[in-house]
Amino acid sequence: SVVITPTPSGGTFATATCNATVNIPNTSGPATRTGACTINWTAPAAPAASYTVTATANDVARPIFNIGTSNTLTLIRAGITVAGGGSTVAEAGATQNFTVVLTSRPSANVVVSVAADPATPDQCTFAPASRTFTNANWNVAQSFTVTAVNDAVVEGAHTCTTGAITAGATGGYTGATGTAPTFNITDNDT
């Protein structure tokens, strides 16, 4: 049989389905079977950023499962990495970009949406409103353009922040969020 151990500890394992653990007849000479295991694991309520799962054979008397050299797998929590922010946009002037990328391959398409900050909804716009990640492009950063709203209000130097950067409820990304970037705004009103 196979013992599955996550590091750090936590979560719940369902029964592993391993077609590699077929009983090998007691014959003279080597007999091997190869195959793959499907392991279903539910992370704890407050998961770590990543887990390393180690599989070991525990039938010492007559091992029927040879884990081999690739007996560890790192599981990375579904998340959104945001890069950018801190740069300057200008009313009726320069725009800036920030990028988002997923931290792990999704099981289905994931739509990442960006909204305006409810505290300052009229300071910047973000386009497009969403980006779609697939299991083929999940690790390729996609950009959003930040544009300062050209208003007629004298505000001086000020900032805007995106609101929630969220993933849709698909592909194992339900509840995943990214850190909202902030941009400096140059006012053109006097």
Side-chain angles (χ1 to χ4, degrees), residues 8-27:
S9 63
T12 305
F13 281 96
T15 303
T17 304
C18 300
N19 63 8
T21 57
V22 176
N23 287 327
I24 298 172
N26 188 8
T27 61

Side-chain angles (χ1 to χ4, degrees), residues 87-186:
S87 53
T88 300
V89 295
E91 292 183 3
T95 62
Q96 294 293 334
N97 293 318
F98 68 93
T99 62
V100 298
V101 67
L102 302 183
T103 58
S104 60
R105 185 184 304 274
S107 59
N109 289 356
V110 174
V111 176
V112 174
S113 301
V114 176
D117 181 3
T120 57
D122 300 323
Q123 296 300 325
C124 289
T125 61
F126 308 97
S130 65
R131 293 285 190 184
T132 300
F133 290 89
T134 67
N135 64 9
N137 74 351
W138 65 272
N139 58 349
V140 178
Q142 297 189 47
S143 66
F144 290 86
T145 300
V146 182
T147 304
V149 173
N150 186 19
D151 56 28
V153 180
V154 178
E155 299 162 295
H158 54 294
T159 62
C160 70
T161 303
T162 67
I165 299 176
T166 58
T170 58
Y173 270 77
T174 302
T177 61
T179 303
T182 298
F183 295 86
N184 301 307
I185 302 174
T186 301

Side-chain angles (χ1 to χ4, degrees), residues 1-3 55-60 63-67 71:
S1 62
V2 179
V3 177
T56 55
N58 70 352
D59 187 349
V60 177
I64 60 171
F65 189 88
N66 180 8
I67 300 296
N71 66 341

Side-chain angles (χ1 to χ4, degrees), residues 5-14 40-53 75-78 172 174:
T5 309
T7 305
S9 63
T12 305
F13 281 96
N40 295 314
W41 178 64
T42 303
S50 67
Y51 289 85
T52 298
V53 178
L75 305 173
I76 299 173
R77 180 176 57 193
T174 302

